[in-house]
């Protein structure tokens, strides 16, 4: 599935054109087509759905059993767009796409545990609805042509797209990755031509690099920055102390302090790196921590202060008093490198100063994008008279969330909302 490049129909006026065929764009296209619209997806890469393949380490953590709005950058917007029962809405969509899910703790995965089965099911569902997937196309210009006499409802967008002058050549009989590489190579080498595509409604679903698209449509834009990645931080006056802990994983709680005031806390596995901390809890921290903030790492968070005091006293009686420079006191309790650091600091917690994000190549999402001030919620219609019949969804908007399936849940449900709104606007004016 997904290797179909239906040439765009330049003689038609589509009801809905979706710019970007990733998670939110495919959800939007499916929902718009299901609502009766003729839909084209304009995707710059050689296939649609490719971003889904990398999710969840190839297993696709596609949602969460508790889609708490507080896990999103704008909880009120998330609540309004995703509705009062978002878990049910995601389940309705996955049912419609034929995806059987299972949960591991509170994370939802496809039963197959394979991201490609999510992508394939979604592409098959789009095909059943007659969605036209047009790949290798870059949007270069967009203008709205109002109907003669200014009757706004009958106008259309003219989308100037640039694409290869002939269908792309793949690698037949090869594996998917060989085919993908061959097509991408061909896309680069093939001369490009411009087409104009007409559509009554347009949905921006281009993902987390939306500046060019926002400029194309004359929209405001909040600068993007990669998040859900490691955090660079160090101990004041001991900038190299974490190097000794590199690669150590501990179950700990991170508490974030901004100007000394606690703003967030979360517990889970923390991976020490020479430059700071990584792992899921650190990824969630990266969405919130600012340079100069302080983070308290507590490896004993599962004990109450009283329990910890009592445990330490009992150990001191049974072993010997805890003295500085005697990390072996923690043998049987803590990993040695952590014990060395704690005995050197003379504390039971580690206070870290944040420098910023680190290793952004592994970032899972980008904060920033088209601001909600420019968008009607919950329809996700752009509220500018200069850009009528324009909608946005997914990461193109200024929305990001914690690890755990929250970002894909936003992609599916914001795509659904934008797709249904765009179809309704196009077919009913
Ligand atoms: C490594 C990794 C792992 C992740 N794992 C998870 C996970 O397990 N669970 C989870 O919830 N989230 C995960 N995420 C985040 C999740 O993938 C995103 O939140 C989600 O894909 C966003 O959907 P989107 O449709 O907005 O953007 P995308 O899925 O990125 O799709 C955007 C699409 O638009 C296309 N495009 C861009 N510009 C143009 C243009 N000008 N013209 C035409 N097409 C264009 C792109 O080629 C792309 O296909 C992960 C992200 C990464 C990077």
């Amino acid at each position: 599935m997904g290797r179909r490049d239906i040439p765009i129909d330049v003689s038609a006026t589509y009801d809905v054109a979706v710019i970007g065929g990733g998670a939110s764009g495919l959800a939007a296209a499916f929902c718009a087509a299901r609502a009766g619209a003729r839909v084209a997806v304009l995707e710059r890469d050689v296939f649609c759905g490719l971003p889904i393949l990398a999710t969840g380490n190839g297993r696709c953590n596609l949602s969460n059993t508790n889609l708490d709005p507080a896990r999103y950058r704008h909880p009120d917007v998330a609540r309004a767009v995703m509705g009062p029962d978002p878990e049910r809405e995601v389940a309705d969509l996955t049912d419609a796409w034929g995806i059987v899910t299972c949960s591991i703790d509170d994370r939802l995965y496809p039963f197959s545990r394979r991201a490609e089965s999510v992508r394939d099911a979604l592409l098959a569902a789009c095909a059943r609805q007659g969605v036209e997937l047009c790949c290798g196309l870059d949007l270069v210009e967009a203008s709205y042509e109002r109907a003669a006499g200014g009757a706004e409802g009958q106008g259309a967008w003219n989308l100037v797209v640039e694409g290869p002058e002939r269908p792309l050549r793949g690698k037949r009989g090869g594996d998917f990755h060989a085919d993908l590489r061959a097509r991408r190579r061909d896309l680069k080498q093939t001369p490009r031509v411009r087409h104009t595509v007409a559509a009554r409604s347009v949905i921006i679903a281009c993902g987390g690099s939306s500046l060019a698209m926002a400029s194309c449509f004359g929209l405001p834009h909040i600068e993007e920055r990669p998040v859900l990645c490691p955090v660079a931080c160090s101990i004041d006056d001991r900038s190299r102390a974490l190097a000794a802990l590199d690669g150590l994983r501990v179950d700990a709680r991170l508490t974030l302090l901004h100007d000394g005031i606690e703003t967030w806390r979360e517990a889970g596995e923390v991976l020490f790196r020479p430059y700071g901390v990584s792992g899921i809890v650190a990824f969630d921290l990266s969405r919130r921590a600012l340079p100069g903030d302080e983070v308290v790492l507590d490896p004993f968070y599962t004990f109450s202060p009283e329990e910890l005091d009592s445990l330490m006293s009992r150990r001191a009686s049974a072993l010997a008093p805890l003295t500085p420079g005697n990390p072996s006191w923690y043998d049987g309790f803590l990993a040695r490198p952590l014990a060395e650091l704690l005995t050197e600091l003379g504390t039971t917690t580690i206070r870290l100063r944040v420098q910023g994000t680190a290793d952004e190549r592994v970032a899972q999402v980008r904060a920033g994008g088209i601001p909600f001030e420019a968008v009607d919620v919950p329809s996700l219609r752009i509220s500018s008279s200069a850009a009528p019949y324009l909608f946005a969804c997914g990461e193109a908007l200024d929305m990001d969330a914690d690890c755990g399936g929250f970002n894909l849940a936003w992609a599916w449900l914001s795509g659904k909302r934008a797709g249904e709104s765009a179809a309704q606007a196009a077919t009913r004016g």
Side-chain angles (χ1 to χ4, degrees):
M1 277 306 308
R3 311 203 177 181
R4 198 162 63 111
D5 305 323
I6 301 172
I8 191 106
D9 183 351
V10 289
S11 65
T13 298
Y14 287 94
D15 292 318
V16 177
V18 182
I19 317 290
S24 69
L26 290 175
F30 171 85
C31 292
R34 185 172 64 172
R38 181 174 179 191
V39 183
V41 175
L42 313 182
E43 165 59 46
R44 124 192 312 176
D45 210 332
V46 295
F47 295 133
C48 285
L50 292 175
I52 296 168
L53 299 180
T55 58
N57 283 328
R59 296 191 306 169
C60 187
N61 173 200
L62 57 84
S63 187
N64 194 284
T65 54
N66 178 16
L67 292 169
D68 180 355
R71 307 299 291 261
Y72 290 84
R73 183 159 304 272
H74 301 287
D76 291 346
V77 174
R79 190 177 289 109
V81 171
M82 297 171 75
D85 193 357
E87 298 84 6
R88 180 73 256 152
E89 292 218 35
V90 171
D92 287 346
L93 279 179
T94 51
D95 284 352
W97 298 336
I99 297 170
V100 177
T101 60
C102 62
S103 58
I104 301 176
D105 299 327
D106 50 2
R107 295 163 178 244
L108 274 190
Y109 290 88
F111 188 77
S112 64
R113 316 286 206 279
R114 297 183 74 88
E116 69 261 27
S117 80
V118 172
R119 196 258 334 228
D120 289 349
L122 191 45
L123 291 176
C126 285
R128 284 197 296 277
Q129 293 294 341
V131 172
E132 297 171 41
L133 303 179
C134 312
C135 297
L137 298 181
D138 248 315
L139 181 71
V140 286
E141 257 176 63
S143 57
Y144 190 75
E145 198 176 313
R146 290 180 194 278
E152 189 186 86
Q154 291 147 33
W157 284 99
N158 288 321
L159 305 173
V160 181
V161 293
E162 206 175 67
E165 64 176 10
R166 56 162 175 76
L168 294 174
R169 295 190 189 112
K171 199 168 171 73
R172 289 190 189 281
D175 70 0
F176 171 74
H177 293 284
D179 188 28
L180 179 64
R181 281 194 300 275
R183 281 172 186 259
R184 280 181 169 162
R185 211 168 29 244
D186 200 32
L187 179 64
K188 267 195 192 144
Q189 290 164 357
T190 308
R192 297 175 76 73
V193 288
R194 287 188 174 194
H195 309 278
T196 301
V197 181
R200 294 188 178 88
S201 291
V202 170
I203 302 175
I204 299 174
C206 61
S209 299
S210 57
L211 176 60
M213 200 61 60
S215 317
C216 190
F217 287 98
L219 303 178
H221 190 265
I222 297 172
E223 192 180 353
E224 286 147 346
R225 65 187 173 93
V227 293
L228 293 192
C229 59
V231 173
C233 51
S234 58
I235 301 170
D236 284 345
D237 307 325
R238 284 182 171 83
S239 59
R240 300 182 57 77
L242 294 187
L245 280 72
D246 186 23
L248 179 70
R249 292 172 190 273
V250 294
D251 181 25
R253 184 175 63 205
L254 299 183
T255 302
L256 177 64
L257 305 174
H258 182 69
D259 289 338
I261 296 165
E262 178 180 331
T263 55
W264 172 85
R265 59 165 61 185
E266 193 174 297
E269 188 179 80
V270 175
L271 169 64
F272 285 100
R273 302 309 324 269
Y275 55 75
V277 287
S278 186
I280 288 174
V281 190
F283 277 29
D284 289 348
L285 172 71
S286 73
R287 297 183 50 236
R288 299 160 168 102
L290 297 172
D293 283 353
E294 202 176 15
V295 175
V296 180
L297 186 151
D298 183 357
F300 300 114
Y301 76 97
T302 50
F303 301 104
S304 69
E306 298 74 32
E307 284 170 341
L308 185 61
D309 272 354
S310 147
L311 177 63
M312 294 298 227
S313 310
R314 285 202 313 275
R315 269 181 89 79
S317 313
L319 308 174
L322 173 60
T323 50
N326 180 21
S328 62
W329 189 85
Y330 277 113
D331 285 352
F333 192 10
L334 291 184
R336 181 56 77 87
L338 182 58
E340 282 171 359
L341 182 59
L342 289 180
T343 45
E344 188 190 326
L345 295 171
T347 58
T348 54
T349 59
I350 303 171
R351 298 184 87 86
L352 299 159
R353 184 75 58 195
V354 173
Q355 278 103 42
T357 51
D359 207 0
E360 286 93 356
R361 287 165 306 140
V362 302
Q364 295 192 357
V365 290
R366 286 161 73 91
I370 299 166
F372 285 103
E373 288 71 38
V375 180
D376 176 69
V377 170
S379 71
L380 296 182
R381 186 174 183 153
I382 301 292
S383 44
S384 153
S385 58
Y389 296 86
L390 183 61
F391 302 78
C393 58
E395 236 186 289
L397 290 162
D398 174 31
M399 184 65 90
D400 57 275
D402 287 334
C403 290
F406 299 99
N407 286 291
L408 278 174
W410 167 255
W412 311 136
L413 294 187
S414 65
K416 174 176 192 257
R417 214 61 77 209
E420 289 172 351
S421 307
Q424 187 180 33
T427 55
R428 287 181 229 158

